[in-house]
């Protein structure tokens, strides 16, 4: 009896200690919290020497500094040392999750103290984060760049990716600004691209006309669903404090190796016992998780611990006897009972010696019949709801408007096809990442194969702006009527999906940007003859859009990445997502600034007035890329060479053209043609849009130049410069004197961006 009592006490002691055990989340002897924030391993508080954080290939980036000068104390992460100032780059940490961190970054801010806007009362125009050597990356799925203010610009720069995104705001009156709307009236937003480890956020004001009720401009990255715009955010400078408290989500992982690579050296492999290793799909490296049936910290030795599902005798998952196993459990029914013994299973039922075969058979039969009927009813209801949802999306995305506009044209638009969502899902294998042709700030383009074996390109937008639906429908109707061999043809659209999708003809040889700047080994070099033909075909397509299409079209985002090439290097203008239809043939259209830095027309940038001459300026930059082989903007180069247009104009004025022309082009024996195209580019880049040539004139000059026979250089010189009305005299006049007076003053967006200090 006494022995049984001792065994009972021992069992009770084991159950009591087991039920109250709290598995550690930090190393023994290490601090678990900094103020209100829990710091879990591999992150740790204190210097590296105390071993509280993981130290490996990622050095001390998992180390957390607890600053006790705050009340309560605040934790900070070290992101490295600023090479410009020599100071440690520290950032406040607000939470740690399985593969995410949340931190705080102060917004870029400019505030003016009087209505004249002469003197900034607060001038902190740059907000940046430098994480190149760290295991952290800005989350592209959970963050958004916001810009606040009136007549202001919000910039996002990613120097290592040579990426620059911009959105703009405007305010007519204080009353025109509404809460919750972030489409340009007092608030604008753009998505954050993937893989950003070094970013610079910048704000500035293009006009001071509304300083009386909006004295400040802000630019900041925020967790998307943690910020909702309010008109009161524009009052005074109080939003700086509010904006500093909005979290930013970072993705994190261990090291920069895959699970397979890291497991080759178990001495540095971070995953402990009873864990699974997963390759991170958002950052280089891997993350560790506990296996099913185990809990704890997967990075702390000896690893995750078994969950004793049977520990609580009253609330365990079994009806019968519960037996714990490693990572799982088993249930046993009492004697004379049958079943799996689980509360969520068949449970336990007493055995009947006289088994009612007929009743059971009938019961099973009726059960199956009921199940079939219920399934059919469920499928019918589900199908009806799905059809209603598709119909609703079709109407929201402008389907009725599209049908109305199609029927309004004589004979309809026969080439316009409205695809179903199912058709495009099958064509892209449910939008497989392996079929991605390209990613941009506003959408992803997939390669697809239709049932008739036609290969197409399918553009899936990221953001739906319901205010732009009518413009989207107009674009489809007009572009399906555009019949030009050098314009990518729109085959149709899908309006019943979550976002509208456009279906284009597939152009097989990539874009011009790739062939100039990212040419792979073994790919042919674009000769001067091919480049001249690409320029001529592109100019002809733009001239057609401006003056020969049924409704004039301003492309608004001409760049080498939007000029596609087929296998014969025939050029095709693509991506009309930013285009404007000029149905009234206006000389100017007042619109929010949109485009790509480096190609953006300075006159449009400063006035918000869009004209077809804005496309001419952008085309001039493309001509420079064809001549020099350089990118329009390069933050890795010196201030003088950062803007290609500015550097090129300086070279022309110094008569040093062939110092900036790509060597293989300069040595191709076509100096006279290169000089003529350079002079044409200079005129396209004129600061005054009214003094630039039209695209029709540009196209005509390039076509004439392409027809010139180069064998007789004297005859080429006489014929071509007679055609150009003797505007250029190569043999006797230096390039710096080609232009004179006001028409000779060229400017680029160099003047708009030279004030940027990359790491202030």
């Amino acid at each position: 009896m006494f022995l049984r009592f001792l065994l009972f006490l021992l069992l009770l002691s084991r159950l009591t200690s087991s039920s109250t055990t709290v598995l550690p989340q930090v190393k023994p002897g290490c601090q678990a919290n900094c103020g209100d924030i829990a710091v879990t391993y591999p992150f740790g508080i204190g210097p590296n020497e105390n071993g509280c954080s993981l130290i490996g290939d990622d050095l001390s980036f998992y180390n957390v500094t607890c600053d006790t000068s705050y009340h309560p104390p605040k934790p900070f992460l070290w992101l490295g040392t600023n090479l410009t100032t020599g100071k440690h780059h520290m950032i406040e940490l607000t939470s740690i999750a399985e593969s995410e961190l949340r931190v705080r970054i102060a917004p870029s801010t400019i505030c003016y103290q009087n209505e004249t806007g002469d003197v900034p009362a607060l001038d902190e125009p740059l907000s940046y984060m430098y994480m190149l050597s760290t295991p952290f990356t800005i989350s592209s799925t959970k963050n958004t760049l916001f810009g606040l203010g009136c007549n202001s610009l919000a910039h996002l720069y990613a120097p290592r990716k040579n990426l620059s995104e911009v959105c703009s705001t405007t305010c007519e009156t204080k009353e025109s600004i509404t809460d919750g709307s972030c489409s340009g009236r007092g608030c604008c937003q753009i998505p954050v691209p993937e893989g950003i480890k070094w970013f610079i956020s910048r704000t500035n004001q293009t006009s001071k006309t509304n300083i009386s009720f909006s004295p400040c401009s802000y630019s900041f990255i925020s967790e998307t669903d943690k910020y909702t715009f309010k008109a009161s955010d524009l009052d005074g400078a109080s939003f700086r404090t509010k904006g500093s408290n909005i979290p930013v989500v970072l993705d994190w992982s261990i090291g920069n190796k895959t699970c397979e690579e890291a497991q080759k050296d178990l001495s540095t492999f971070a995953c402990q016992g009873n864990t699974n290793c997963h390759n991170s799909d958002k950052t280089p490296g891997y993350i560790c998780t506990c296996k099913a049936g185990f809990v704890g910290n997967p990075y702390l030795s000896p690893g995750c611990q078994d969950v004793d599902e049977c520990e609580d005798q009253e609330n365990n998952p079994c009806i019968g006897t519960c037996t714990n196993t490693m990572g799982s459990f088993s249930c046993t029914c009492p004697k004379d009972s049958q079943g799996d013994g689980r509360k969520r299973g068949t449970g336990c039922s007493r055995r009947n010696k006289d088994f009612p075969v007929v009743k059971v058979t009938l019961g099973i039969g009726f059960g199956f019949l009921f199940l079939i009927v219920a399934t059919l009813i469920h499928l019918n209801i589900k199908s009806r709801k799905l059809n209603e949802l598709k119909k609703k999306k079709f109407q929201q995305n402008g389907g009725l408007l599209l049908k109305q506009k199609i029927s309004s044209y004589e004979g309809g638009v026969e080439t316009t096809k409205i695809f179903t969502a199912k058709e495009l899902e099958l064509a892209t294998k449910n939008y497989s990442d392996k079929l991605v042709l390209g990613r941009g700030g506003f959408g992803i383009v997939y390669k697809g194969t239709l049932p008739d074996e036609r290969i197409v390109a399918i553009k899936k937008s990221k953001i739906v702006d319901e205010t732009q639906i009518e413009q989207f429908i107009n674009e489809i109707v007009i572009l399906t009527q555009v019949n030009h061999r050098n314009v990518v043809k729109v085959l149709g659209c899908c309006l019943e999906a979550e976002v509208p999708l456009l279906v284009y003809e597939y152009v097989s040889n990539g874009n011009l940007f790739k062939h100039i700047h990212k040419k792979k080994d073994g790919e042919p070099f674009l000769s001067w003859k091919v480049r001249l033909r690409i320029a001529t075909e592109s100019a002809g397509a733009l001239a057609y859009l401006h003056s020969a299409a049924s409704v004039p079209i301003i492309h608004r985002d001409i760049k080498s990445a939007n000029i596609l090439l087929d296998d014969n290097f025939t050029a095709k203008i693509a991506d009309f997502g930013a285009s404007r239809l000029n149905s009234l043939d206006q000389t100017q259209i007042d619109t929010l600034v949109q485009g790509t830095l480096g190609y953006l027309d300075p006159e449009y940038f400063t006035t918000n007035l869009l004209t077809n001459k804005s496309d001419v300026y952008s085309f001039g930059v493309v001509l420079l890329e064809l001549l020099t082989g350089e990118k329009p903007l390069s933050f890795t180069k010196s201030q003088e060479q950062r803007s290609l247009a500015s550097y090129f104009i300086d070279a022309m004025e110094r008569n040093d053209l062939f110092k900036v022309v790509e060597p293989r082009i300069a040595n191709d024996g076509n100096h006279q043609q290169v000089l003529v195209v350079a002079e044409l580019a200079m005129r396209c880049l004129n600061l005054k849009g009214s003094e630039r040539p039209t695209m029709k004139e540009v196209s005509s000059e390039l076509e004439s130049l392409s027809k010139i026979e180069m064998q007789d250089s004297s005859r080429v010189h006489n014929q071509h410069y007679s055609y150009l009305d003797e505007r250029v005299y190569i043999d006797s006049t230096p390039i710096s004197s080609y232009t004179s007076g006001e028409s000779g003053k060229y400017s680029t967006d160099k003047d708009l961006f030279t004030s940027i200090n990359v790491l202030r």
Side-chain angles (χ1 to χ4, degrees):
M1 185 70 180
F2 180 74
L3 181 60
R4 289 182 180 179
F5 179 72
L6 287 179
L7 290 174
F8 172 77
L9 290 179
L10 181 63
L11 177 60
L12 181 62
S13 173
R14 180 182 180 275
L15 290 173
T16 304
S17 62
S18 175
S19 62
T20 57
T21 298
V22 178
L23 296 176
Q25 295 298 314
V26 298
K27 278 193 170 183
C30 294
Q31 185 177 339
N33 296 278
C34 178
D36 301 328
I37 308 301
V39 178
T40 58
Y41 194 81
F43 296 88
I45 299 173
N48 299 334
E49 293 77 11
N50 68 6
C52 289
S53 62
L54 177 68
I55 301 177
D57 294 338
D58 295 320
L59 301 176
S60 58
F61 293 112
Y62 303 97
N63 176 258
V64 175
T65 300
C66 188
D67 191 338
T68 57
S69 64
Y70 295 94
H71 183 75
K74 292 183 178 182
F76 290 85
L77 278 175
W78 178 67
L79 300 183
T81 302
N82 189 317
L83 299 179
T84 301
T85 64
K87 295 181 179 179
H88 290 302
H89 187 183
M90 307 292 288
I91 189 166
E92 183 181 352
L93 175 66
T94 61
S95 71
I96 300 174
E98 183 177 276
S99 61
E100 294 178 346
L101 301 175
R102 280 171 174 77
V103 298
R104 289 174 177 162
I105 309 173
S108 166
T109 307
I110 294 180
C111 294
Y112 291 90
Q113 61 186 358
N114 55 44
E115 293 193 7
T116 60
D118 298 330
V119 181
L122 181 61
D123 188 7
E124 297 179 1
L126 291 183
S127 174
Y128 77 94
M129 189 184 296
Y130 184 87
M131 304 182 294
L132 287 182
S133 302
T134 75
F136 313 130
T137 302
I138 299 288
S139 173
S140 62
T141 58
K142 294 194 175 181
N143 294 311
T144 298
L145 175 73
F146 291 95
L148 304 185
C150 289
N151 305 316
S152 64
L153 298 172
H155 304 269
L156 174 64
Y157 303 98
R160 281 295 285 258
K161 286 182 168 287
N162 200 24
L163 177 71
S164 179
E165 300 284 352
V166 61
C167 74
S168 62
T169 65
T170 184
C171 308
E172 289 82 5
T173 62
K174 185 176 182 179
E175 291 70 23
S176 66
I177 304 170
T178 58
D179 289 351
S181 174
C182 198
S183 58
R185 305 290 183 191
C187 175
C188 65
Q189 62 181 10
I190 52 177
V192 176
E194 293 181 353
I196 299 298
K197 295 178 76 68
W198 177 16
F199 82 89
I200 303 168
S201 172
R202 181 179 184 272
T203 186
N204 68 347
Q205 283 190 288
T206 59
S207 171
K208 313 296 190 306
T209 56
N210 294 315
I211 287 178
S212 60
F213 64 85
S214 177
C216 299
S217 293
Y218 307 94
S219 172
F220 61 97
I221 290 180
S222 160
E223 186 173 359
T224 304
D225 57 4
K226 296 298 183 184
Y227 176 68
T228 301
F229 173 65
K230 292 185 177 180
S232 59
D233 291 341
L234 302 182
D235 296 338
S238 60
F239 180 79
R240 172 146 180 95
T241 301
K242 176 182 176 182
S244 298
N245 290 321
I246 300 175
V248 178
V249 181
L250 306 183
D251 296 318
W252 70 272
S253 61
I254 301 296
N256 56 13
K257 297 179 180 178
T258 64
C259 292
E260 296 74 19
E261 293 169 341
Q263 286 173 332
K264 293 179 181 178
D265 185 359
L266 295 179
S267 65
T268 60
F269 186 51
C271 297
Q272 302 300 312
N274 299 318
T275 61
N276 293 316
C277 181
H278 308 277
N279 292 323
S280 174
D281 58 353
K282 297 177 181 178
T283 66
Y286 61 92
I287 58 175
C288 309
T289 59
C290 290
K291 290 182 177 179
F294 294 85
V295 294
N297 190 317
Y299 302 101
L300 279 177
S301 178
C304 299
Q305 305 299 305
D306 173 53
V307 177
D308 188 352
E309 294 87 354
C310 303
E311 182 177 6
D312 188 339
Q313 294 298 319
E314 295 183 359
N315 296 312
N316 67 58
C318 298
I319 292 177
T321 302
C322 181
T323 304
N324 185 58
T325 61
M326 288 298 292
S328 187
F329 64 94
S330 63
C331 300
T332 306
C333 287
K335 190 177 180 180
D336 296 330
S337 296
Q338 62 184 11
D340 62 9
R342 295 176 180 248
K343 291 179 180 178
R344 294 187 178 181
T346 60
C348 295
S349 58
R350 295 183 63 84
R351 287 192 177 93
N352 190 341
K353 295 182 180 179
D354 298 324
F355 188 74
V357 177
V358 176
K359 292 182 179 180
V360 171
T361 303
L362 289 174
I364 293 174
F366 282 116
F368 272 114
L369 179 61
F370 174 78
L371 181 63
I372 292 172
V373 172
T375 301
L376 291 174
I377 294 174
H378 172 73
L379 292 176
N380 184 45
I381 294 174
K382 185 177 179 180
S383 175
R384 189 180 305 169
K385 288 183 177 180
L386 182 60
N387 289 333
E388 290 176 355
L389 180 61
K390 288 181 178 180
K391 184 177 180 181
K392 181 179 178 181
K393 290 295 180 185
F394 184 82
Q395 293 174 349
Q396 287 179 351
N397 290 330
L400 298 179
L401 179 61
L402 177 61
K403 286 186 175 182
Q404 177 184 351
K405 288 185 174 292
I406 289 176
S407 62
S408 67
Y409 285 88
E410 291 187 10
V413 184
E414 296 180 357
T415 57
T416 303
K417 176 176 174 58
I418 299 179
F419 293 89
T420 65
K422 189 67 176 179
E423 285 179 301
L424 299 190
E425 287 175 2
L426 292 174
T428 58
K429 297 182 179 179
N430 202 23
Y431 301 103
S432 168
D433 288 341
K434 296 180 180 180
L435 296 176
V436 172
L437 295 175
R439 300 177 186 267
F442 294 93
I444 304 175
V445 180
Y446 296 87
K447 181 179 179 181
T449 304
L450 299 179
D452 60 4
E453 300 301 321
R454 279 187 300 166
I455 299 178
V456 295
I458 300 169
K459 181 178 180 182
K460 184 178 184 181
S461 300
K462 284 185 178 179
I463 299 175
V464 180
D465 185 351
E466 293 184 2
T467 63
Q468 301 298 317
I469 290 296
E470 183 171 0
Q471 180 180 342
F472 170 79
I473 298 302
N474 282 337
E475 177 187 352
I476 296 174
V477 174
I478 296 302
L479 289 183
T480 50
Q481 297 182 94
V482 171
N483 186 16
H484 195 282
R485 68 187 298 268
N486 300 117
V487 176
V488 172
K489 190 168 185 59
V490 177
L491 304 177
C493 64
C494 174
L495 301 177
E496 65 182 29
E498 192 67 28
V499 294
L501 298 104
L502 283 177
V503 181
Y504 295 90
E505 67 169 308
Y506 173 66
V507 184
S508 57
N509 207 4
N511 59 53
L512 179 59
F513 183 91
K514 180 195 77 171
H515 284 279
I516 296 177
H517 306 300
K518 294 185 177 181
K519 186 170 69 68
K520 297 180 182 178
D521 294 339
E523 290 185 347
F525 173 76
L526 293 184
S527 66
W528 171 248
K529 181 179 179 181
V530 173
R531 296 187 187 207
L532 181 59
R533 177 165 58 80
I534 291 172
T536 303
E537 291 172 346
S538 302
L542 287 173
Y544 170 84
L545 295 174
H546 285 185
S547 56
S550 57
V551 176
I553 301 169
I554 301 175
H555 190 283
R556 201 161 56 153
D557 196 18
I558 291 298
K559 55 185 177 182
S560 56
N562 286 340
I563 299 176
L564 305 185
L565 303 174
D566 65 12
D567 289 335
N568 297 319
F569 292 95
T570 299
K572 292 180 179 288
I573 302 294
D575 200 343
F576 289 82
S579 301
R580 286 297 300 264
L581 303 171
N582 192 8
S583 57
L584 301 177
D585 203 12
Q586 299 167 299
T587 57
Q588 295 178 334
I589 301 175
D590 188 359
T591 179
L592 295 177
V593 174
Q594 189 169 343
T596 303
L597 288 179
Y599 299 89
L600 199 58
D601 173 15
E603 186 175 60
Y604 170 38
F605 186 83
T606 56
T607 66
N608 281 27
L609 296 177
L610 176 69
T611 71
N612 54 17
K613 295 296 184 70
S614 299
D615 282 353
V616 175
Y617 181 92
S618 302
F619 183 76
V621 178
V622 174
L623 289 180
L624 300 192
E625 291 181 86
L626 291 168
L627 288 166
T628 67
E630 298 291 339
K631 296 178 181 178
L633 279 180
S634 179
F635 290 99
T636 60
K637 293 191 175 183
S638 65
Q639 189 73 27
E640 180 187 10
Q641 298 182 9
R642 186 167 296 174
S643 169
L644 175 60
S646 175
Y647 184 57
F648 181 85
I649 290 172
D650 290 343
M652 288 286 284
E653 291 176 347
R654 294 193 310 268
N655 207 13
D656 284 339
L657 169 63
F658 287 96
K659 287 186 179 180
V660 297
V661 170
E662 191 167 357
R664 281 191 280 184
I665 296 299
N667 297 328
D668 211 8
N670 295 290
H671 282 204
Q672 293 176 351
Q673 286 188 332
V674 170
L675 282 167
V676 173
V677 173
E679 190 275 343
L680 179 60
M682 286 278 284
R683 287 190 284 129
C684 291
L685 297 174
N686 198 305
L687 176 62
K688 294 184 178 181
S690 60
E691 296 181 6
R692 299 172 198 156
T694 64
M695 281 310 307
K696 191 172 183 179
E697 292 170 339
V698 173
S699 173
S700 178
E701 293 189 20
L702 288 173
E703 286 179 1
S704 297
L705 185 61
S706 298
K707 295 177 182 178
I708 294 177
E709 295 292 336
M710 295 301 295
Q711 289 82 355
D712 185 353
S713 60
S714 175
R715 181 169 62 85
V716 168
H717 181 275
N718 294 335
Q719 289 179 357
H720 182 66
Y721 291 102
S722 172
Y723 164 76
L724 292 179
D725 294 329
E726 302 180 351
R727 283 177 291 188
V728 182
Y729 301 93
I730 293 178
D731 295 331
S732 60
T733 306
I735 296 176
S736 59
S737 61
Y738 284 176
T739 57
S740 61
E742 289 300 317
S743 63
K745 294 182 180 179
Y746 294 90
S747 177
T748 69
D749 37 13
K750 168 190 175 185
D751 298 323
L752 300 172
F753 307 114
T754 52
S755 62
I756 297 175
N757 181 358
V758 175
L759 285 176
R760 197 172 185 180

